Amino acid sequence: MTFVENLTLFVLAAFVGYEIITKIPTNLHTPLMSGANAISGITLLGSVVVAGSGSTTIATVLGFLAVVMATINVIGGYLVSHFMLDQFSHGGRN
Amino acid sequence: MTGIIGGLPDSILQFTYLVAGVLFIQGLRDMTHPRTATRGNKISSGGMFLAVVVTILWFEVLSPLVLGAGLLVGGAIGVWLAVTVETTEMPQLVGLFNGFGGGASALVAGAELIDVMGSGNSLSVGLASTAAIAGIIGAVTFWGSLVAAGKLHGVVGDSPVSETVGHGIKILFLSAAVVAGLFLIVRPDIFGSAPLAAWIPSYWVLVAAASILGIFLVVPIGGADMPVVIALLNSYSGLAAATTGFVLNNTVLIIAGTLVGASGLILTVIMCESMNRSLTNVLFGGLGIGDRDSEDMEDIYEGKITESSAEEIVMLMETAQRVVIVPGYGMAVAQAQHAVAELVELLDENGVDVEFGIHPVAGRMPGHMNALLAEADVPYDKMRELEEVNPTFSQTDLVIVTGANDVVNPKANTDDSSPISGMPVLNVAEAQSVAVNKRSLSPGFSGIPNPLFAKDNTSMLFGDAKESMQELVNQYKDATS
């Protein structure tokens, strides 16, 4: 992929994101925030690649730390969102 | 350098990333309705699972042990934090998670640089510049989020740094980070024909400078503005992930990171609009804190406060046709949401039209109050937003304000010189009568008095929100049974 192709993807994703996210109601903004947060843990992929192919010890150590931090972000974020949304669906059934 | 399935054509990896990207977008689309939101969250986490698994299987993993240990340690910490968190502490936890995402991006970019050096490949301008950007954004996000979470948690106080000195420090360290980044990209001839190894330290200088910048960016901002800061940092952490995507040439990182960047930015703008403040004002101004309005406060309150009791408010409740409850963060801190939910249920059973009026910035995050009430099993359809509930106050017999202050302050509409001037507020004074439950007359976050408390139709019920609400529940039960 060239830089321009990556940039194209970036710009298109920004438009799609804007269109969808502006439609999310206020009530769901807190779960959205923690869910979006979890998605930002996609950085984990980068960490996985680096920790895996680390040809030097220092790169492996850095990669390991990155994997730990990104995993906290992903797992924690999705779980927190899930708990919150679960409560919403309970409330909604009453 | 390929893993178990790495022998397959590259287009399969790219195709899987496309599927993961679609799952993220569909997951967000499902978040537009409370009914489908839980499914959306699952779809989105499915996208994440797919992307991670295919990446692990695809690339040769030299140290599966290290990788597994990292996933296990991070996963355990994440689960533990998510399970033990109180709903009131959610904002600082989201802030903390944010910081970890940003920190990971900065580390990945650094590790990638070292890897390139180790493998003897040449460092392209594209890789160097994206690594520099990921390093700056990641480090700012990490440290800024830690400070923001610390402030929300009450372990970091507001700063004694003067504004001029603060701005000087920020400009100094931002310049330092940018210069270090430029050195890494251009690698000028000052060391002769030095190998990349000689230039790697400039990446860490960049990270160090950006870290200090991140701290000084957030330290001077008041606690009340932390939600805006967290939303903004959320956006940054997404952008950091997207930038890492440019560094590693990874499409799903770009898509997912961009979605997060957009969501954080939109939430930031919404919060600023709800408080009628510009982003610049939040980042560089700050609401007045202190006692400059103390004389004014006596003028407003002196001799005009009507103190009430639970009995009197229950009498108003008995005759009311329509009741609106306005909750604030004070209610959440006192853990009064369960008592409030019980009160609402009782009123509902007695045929009273009862609803919640929820200000968009009630609580500590956009929509935080809704999450707190949902935790107490308040039916979703009883939660009304500001624009929806405001026109109904004139037909409301009783408004019960509990633990809220600034969001019901009429000064926002009437006093142009007030720091909250122009902020949309709940116009509760239009109701027949208003009962305000509050511990004392102390000002809220904005530090200004509230003329609502001195109005003729307002009565004050002083006391802890949980005790007061429980008292209302008990007395109302007695009165109506």
Side-chain angles (χ1 to χ4, degrees), chain B residues 152-172:
Chain B
L152 281 170
H153 207 64
V155 290
V156 178
D158 285 336
S159 109
V161 184
S162 91
E163 225 168 80
T164 345
V165 176
H167 286 326
I169 291 174
K170 282 179 247 176
I171 292 167
L172 182 71

Side-chain angles (χ1 to χ4, degrees), chain B residues 287-308:
Chain B
L287 283 176
I289 306 162
D291 55 3
R292 62 177 175 181
D293 260 347
S294 57
E295 280 173 67
D296 191 21
M297 195 158 138
E298 272 175 25
D299 284 349
I300 290 177
Y301 293 155
E302 191 74 60
K304 292 173 196 154
I305 298 292
T306 320
E307 203 177 331
S308 184

